[in-house]
Amino acid sequence: MQTIYYTTTHFVRHTGNVVDLEEYRRKLALTREGNLAPLPEEREEPEAPRLHLVALQDRRARNSNRAARRAWALDICASMGVLLMTLTFTLRVLAV
């Protein structure tokens, strides 16, 4: 990561917690008048669509969703089997 330093004349110089309010007000007035403010670009905003278009899923997307659900179900079954075997082994060891 690289730190980038910018220099600008818009900062109000202050020492510690003391700020020169007269300088701040002068810069604020100049900014409001447009002397220091960047000129805004006029853009035409496109009209918002009135209809909400819904994209239907294609067959591949539905199949991949189904395959993902099936994989999760098999993973849960395998995890439950491991837990059951561990519990059975522990109970047998403790019973002896």
Side-chain angles (χ1 to χ4, degrees):
M1 178 174 271
Q2 181 181 7
T3 305
I4 300 173
Y5 296 97
Y6 294 100
T7 59
T8 180
T9 58
H10 301 299
F11 288 131
V12 176
R13 296 183 189 274
H14 59 84
T15 308
N17 290 334
V18 180
V19 177
D20 186 8
L21 292 178
E22 184 178 331
E23 183 182 356
Y24 173 74
R25 289 183 186 125
R26 182 182 60 79
K27 292 237 183 193
L28 186 62
L30 288 174
T31 303
R32 286 186 182 157
E33 291 173 5
N35 293 342
L36 293 177
L39 296 175
E41 296 179 9
E42 294 184 20
R43 296 182 185 175
E44 293 183 19
E45 295 186 20
E47 184 177 318
R50 294 185 180 156
L51 297 176
H52 180 68
L53 301 177
V54 178
L56 299 176
Q57 287 185 337
D58 62 345
R59 182 171 292 197
R60 288 183 202 157
R62 283 193 308 258
N63 287 342
S64 66
N65 288 343
R66 187 177 299 141
R69 284 193 304 268
R70 192 175 299 140
W72 274 105
L74 290 173
D75 187 42
I76 290 171
C77 289
S79 298
M80 295 300 257
V82 169
L83 289 174
L84 183 65
M85 287 189 303
T86 304
L87 181 64
T88 304
F89 177 76
T90 305
L91 290 176
R92 285 196 179 200
V93 167
L94 289 176
V96 171

